[in-house]
Every structure is written in structure tokens, then in C-alpha cells.
Amino acid sequence: MKRTDAPLAFAITSKGDDTSNALAQKMKTYLLDFDLRCDEEEPDLVISVGGDGTLLYAFHRYCHRLDKTAFVGVHTGHLGFYADWVPEELEKLVIAIAKTPYQVVEYPLLEVTIRYLNGGSEAKYLALNECTVKCVSGTLVMDVEIRGDLFERFRGDGLCISTPTGSTAYNKALGGAILHPSLEAIQVTEMASINNRVFRTIGSPLVLPAHHTCLLKPVNHVDFQITIDHLSLLHKDVKSIQCRVADEKVRFARFRPFPFWRRVRDSFIAD
Ligand code: NAP
């Protein structure tokens, strides 16, 4: 439960289109009328107005203070997994933020550590949805180690390592399972693996628990196109890519129950 004597500090991120901007402005005015404080640098609550993509941006903007900031999403398009309030509920949400203590739910994140050949440097990232690894040109060839043991030599278009909340995004398009976000796990899915009499991969998505690390080791190429959520970067001279469940968690402000499986049904099945 969040509520102290100090007025709640909020920040609003907008998708940037006219509808989202107008909604964000209206919300800001209402929240200020309730004597809440707007603080773009150190918000207790970040309200994302747009879609799931907008919440991904907001997450990375405030990634350095995940233990102090909670997120809530209003969608201005179709129902999202992270953005589950509709514009018609704006007043209801504002009152809920201003008047009621809110519950915080925590979901697992993916930690990605990229180590480089030159000088032993490394870069660490947190992903809310997933990390994908592809070759700049040609087939991706990677040794996949799980918990220190060689599992397989992967050949194909790429690999996707996702969080439970990211399992409904790219992972789902790759035939991965939808994981309930209460599971502390990551999922490894293949992109068009080569499978014939010579080359063999498992062919099924793998779900790894929090204490199992997945290490990807390049075999022939060392330059890779790596995505962390919406962020895509070319990484050169890569020695290894380590993926595991992060110690950090993302915190969402919950003002009403919205069960995960109902959200899945509403997004993918219901008319
Ligand atoms: P984008 O190409 O503009 O949007 C990709 C779509 O994924 C949007 O419809 C977005 O919803 C949706 N999405 C994002 N996170 C989701 C989640 N956790 N569950 C269900 N749907 C989700 O790219 P972007 O806005 O920068 O977002 C980057 C994300 O796109 C990546 O993290 C990846 O998961 C996803 N992606 C998916 C595919 C695929 O399905 N084949 C391919 C590449 C990337 P909104 O419209 O509400 O924003």
C-alpha cells in the first residue's frame, strides 16, 4: 500500500499523438487540483498514456528508480497488457490516485549482461518485455549454455528471451507460452531454427526458473543486433550474452482487480 503524509509525486508520459497528449494534459490538471505534485525527475507514480509501447518507454526512462516508482497505464488505442485503463475512466482513475491508498504488484524482469572481447568490459540492461539476439548478416550461430552446461548449438534467425509480462508480446508471435507474471521465470524462444539431419535444436520454448542462467556464446560471428524491448543496438566484439531473472522488479499500481487471464482473453480472444 502506498500513501504517506507527503503529497504523491506523479509524472505523465504520453505516446505523443494528439489524443494521448490531450488526455495527459487533462489528467495532469485534475491531479494538480487534488494537490498532488508533478515531479518528472523523482515520481512515486508514473502514468503512461498511449499503449504498451509507451509504457516500455516510461519503464526505461525511470529504470534507475524502480524501487521507488510505480507505473499505471491508460490506453488510447486497443487494450494493452500494461495499459489497462480506458480514457472514459479518466476521472475514476484520478480520484483513485488522489484518494485511495493503492496496492503495488511486482513482476519479474530480465537482466541481460553483455560481455565484450576487448578489455573485458560489460554492459548490463533490464528488460520489461524481452531481449532478442540476431546476426547482422547470415545465420545466427550460438552455443546455448544453461546453468553452466552446454545445452545446444543454435542455428537460425535469432533467439528471444522474455519475461512473463513480455510473454504476450514478441514471444507469443514466436510460438512461446503465455506465462503468468507471478512466475519468477524467463522464457527462451527460437526464431526459425535450422533443423535437419546435421543441425539440431530443441525446437520448443524453454522456461527457466530464477536460479538458472542462460548464457549465449558466439561461435563464428561476434557482432550482433540486440534488442532490449523497443531499443535496438548493434553490439560489436561480443564474447557472451547472459540472461537471467533480475533481482529488480517492476512495480505496477493497482487500483482495482484486473486478473491476468481476463486481460489475455480480452486482448486476444474477446470481440
Ligand atoms: P511496435 O512495433 O510499435 O509495437 C509492437 C506491438 O507490441 C504493439 O502493438 C504493442 O502494443 C505490443 N506490445 C508491447 N508490449 C506488449 C506486451 N507485453 N504484451 C502484448 N503486446 C505488447 O514496437 P514498440 O511499441 O516499440 O514495442 C516494442 C515491442 O514490440 C517489443 O518489446 C516486442 O515485444 C514487440 N515486437 C513484437 C513483434 C511481433 O509480435 N512479431 C515483433 C517485434 C517487436 P501497443 O500498440 O499497445 O503499444
Side-chain angles (χ1 to χ4, degrees), residues 85-98:
W85 286 80
V86 297
E88 294 72 39
E89 296 173 308
L90 188 83
E91 280 85 0
K92 205 165 130 188
L93 178 59
V94 167
I95 292 168
I97 293 172

Side-chain angles (χ1 to χ4, degrees), residues 9 88-90 144 149 204 239 249 266:
E88 294 72 39
E89 296 173 308
L90 188 83
V144 180
D149 284 335
S204 308
K239 186 179 166 199
K249 294 220 159 54
D266 288 358

Side-chain angles (χ1 to χ4, degrees), residues 15 50-54 56-57 78-82 129-130 165-171 173 229-230 268:
K15 187 177 179 180
D52 285 334
T54 320
L56 288 178
Y57 280 91
H78 48 86
L79 173 71
F81 271 82
Y82 302 121
N129 267 356
E130 77 284 288
T165 51
S167 67
T168 49
Y170 203 169
N171 167 77
D229 298 334
H230 56 282
F268 295 109

